[in-house]
């Protein structure tokens, strides 16, 4: 079989992932799109399958990281050489930029049709629902920790090979990408409501940079004041995921475990500082007048509508 450079594989895999993933967001969010107005589940499943097919394209050649946090987490566990991490990160960022460029071209007439600047940015990069640096960073950290930790135990617990007279099939190559995709889907659905979940510094930084560069009609700011969150927090979470897996699977605590904890604490501490000293959007303090803050589904389910007359029970009955 012809082989390609692992760096090229990371570039192509990340490009496919971002093209499909950000494309799903564009379909749902941009005005006059056929899919406009669909829901968060569409985006979650779209991103899950985007990750799966990006991993399919690259897994055989590079391991299908597509994510600096994954590369760092695997290096922390000892499954990937630290010397390759910088090259992988560069390839992933460039792939994410190329994918974002494809989304821009694919939806060329819809940028002008969409008036909301925040929506346009949200196609490319993550925008928190409530802007709080500390909680946003904590959410990204938890999600990426689970992503890397889960990716490692999927790899450890599932390594069979199916061999026949005419076929030798490594089931890792077939099923692991799908497992990763569903992992991303459930993480976004279960925990991504606060930030939209980057879980991946390249996925946010590359498209955010393209948002700043591309001539998008009425695009507004790229919100670089928030960009450190989806970069630093996933790196800290991925670093901890790989380090803790060493403790979990091998029963030993390496020095990297304590370094990763220190990095996580530093990121969260900076988040606390940033809440007081850096710009935050008003979503952190002000609830728009038109926003319904009730949990409508829960309140509807908890509301009892009597179908007949309710008998009156006198107080003396209980005394």
């Amino acid at each position: 079989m012809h082989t390609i450079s692992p760096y090229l594989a990371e570039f192509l895999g990340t490009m496919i992932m971002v093209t499909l993933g950000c494309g799903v967001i564009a379909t749902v969010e941009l005005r006059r799109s056929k899919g406009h107005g669909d829901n968060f589940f569409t985006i979650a499943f779209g991103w899950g399958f985007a990750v799966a097919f990006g991993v399919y394209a690259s897994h055989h050649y590079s391991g299908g990281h597509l994510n600096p946090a994954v590369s760092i987490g695997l290096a922390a566990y000892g499954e990937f050489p630290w010397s390759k991490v910088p090259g992988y990160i560069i390839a992933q960022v460039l792939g994410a930029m190329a994918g974002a460029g494809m989304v821009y071209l694919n939806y060329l007439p819809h940028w002008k049709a969409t008036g909301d600047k925040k929506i346009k940015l949200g196609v490319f990069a993550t925008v928190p629902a409530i802007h709080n640096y500390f909680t946003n960073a904590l959410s990204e950290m938890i999600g990426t920790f689970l992503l890397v930790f889960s990716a490692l135990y999927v790899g450890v617990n599932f390594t069979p090979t199916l061999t026949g007279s005419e076929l030798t099939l490594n089931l890792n190559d077939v099923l692991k990408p799908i497992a990763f995709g569903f992992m991303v889907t459930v993480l976004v659905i279960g925990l991504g409501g606060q930030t939209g979940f980057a879980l991946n510094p390249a996925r946010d930084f590359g498209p955010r940079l393209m948002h700043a560069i591309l001539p998008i009609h009425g695009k507004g700011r790229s919100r670089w004041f928030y960009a450190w969150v989806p970069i630093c927090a996933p790196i800290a979470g991925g670093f901890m995921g790989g380090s803790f897996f060493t403790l979990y699977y091998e029963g030993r605590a390496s020095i990297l475990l304590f370094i990763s904890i220190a990095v996580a604490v530093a990121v969260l501490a900076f988040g606390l500082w940033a809440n007081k000293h850096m710009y935050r959007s008003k979503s952190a303090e002000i609830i728009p007048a038109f926003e319904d803050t009730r949990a409508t589904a829960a309140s509807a389910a908890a509301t009892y509508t009597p179908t007949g007359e309710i008998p009156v029970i006198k107080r003396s009955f209980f005394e």
Side-chain angles (χ1 to χ4, degrees):
M1 176 185 290
H2 171 69
T3 186
I4 64 174
S5 163
Y7 303 106
L8 178 58
E10 283 295 301
F11 171 86
L12 292 173
T14 309
M15 181 184 71
I16 291 170
M17 177 187 71
V18 170
T19 301
L20 298 176
C22 289
V24 171
I25 300 175
T27 296
V28 172
E29 297 288 355
L30 294 182
R31 300 298 184 265
R32 300 184 67 181
S33 158
K34 292 287 188 178
H36 173 65
D38 213 331
N39 56 43
F40 191 65
F41 290 93
T42 299
I43 294 175
F45 275 95
W47 263 107
F49 282 107
V51 169
F53 283 103
V55 174
Y56 271 127
S58 57
H59 181 260
H60 182 77
Y61 304 102
S62 67
H65 299 184
L66 316 184
N67 183 341
V70 171
S71 298
I72 291 171
L74 293 179
Y77 174 55
E79 193 172 291
F80 184 69
W82 283 103
S83 61
K84 290 186 176 180
V85 170
Y88 266 49
I89 292 176
I90 292 171
Q92 291 155 0
V93 171
L94 292 176
M97 292 176 68
M102 287 191 177
V103 174
Y104 165 72
L105 293 173
N106 189 76
Y107 285 94
L108 205 54
H110 293 267
W111 306 111
K112 188 174 182 179
T114 304
D116 194 323
K117 299 175 181 178
K118 188 176 179 180
I119 286 176
K120 294 176 185 179
L121 174 60
V123 170
F124 293 89
T126 55
V127 177
I130 297 177
H131 189 178
N132 182 305
Y133 289 113
F134 174 79
T135 60
N136 299 155
L138 180 62
S139 179
E140 290 283 350
M141 197 177 295
I142 291 171
T144 316
F145 172 88
L146 291 173
L147 175 68
V148 172
F149 192 84
S150 301
L152 281 166
Y153 70 62
V154 167
V156 166
N157 294 330
F158 189 81
T159 55
T161 299
L162 178 66
T163 304
S165 58
E166 298 180 358
L167 174 67
T168 299
L169 180 64
N170 187 334
L171 295 183
N172 274 310
D173 293 338
V174 177
L175 298 181
K176 279 178 69 175
I178 287 292
F180 295 158
F182 277 112
M183 189 191 312
V184 170
T185 298
V186 74
L187 282 172
V188 173
I189 293 174
L191 300 174
Q194 184 183 170
T195 66
F197 261 179
L199 304 176
N200 183 337
R203 170 265 175 275
D204 190 276
F205 175 73
R208 193 183 297 268
L209 184 58
M210 292 300 285
H211 176 272
I213 294 172
L214 291 170
I216 302 169
H217 184 275
K219 64 181 176 181
R221 295 185 299 170
S222 300
R223 299 195 178 198
W224 289 105
F225 55 83
Y226 177 76
W228 71 268
V229 173
I231 294 174
C232 298
I235 287 175
F239 192 8
M240 278 203 303
S243 302
F244 269 89
F245 192 79
T246 304
L247 179 63
Y248 164 76
Y249 188 69
E250 298 182 2
R252 61 181 179 87
S254 70
I255 186 63
L256 293 177
L257 173 63
F258 302 103
I259 294 175
S260 70
I261 293 173
V263 170
V265 170
V267 169
L268 293 177
F270 184 78
L272 289 173
W273 177 89
N275 276 342
K276 294 183 178 181
H277 298 90
M278 290 178 64
Y279 172 81
R280 282 195 295 164
S281 65
K282 293 181 180 180
S283 67
E285 290 85 18
I286 298 176
I287 298 176
F290 62 83
E291 183 175 337
D292 185 359
T293 60
R294 296 173 298 173
T296 53
S299 62
T303 301
Y304 172 70
T305 304
T307 56
E309 184 177 349
I310 301 176
V312 176
I313 301 177
K314 295 182 179 179
R315 182 179 177 184
S316 59
F317 178 83
F318 300 97
E319 296 176 344

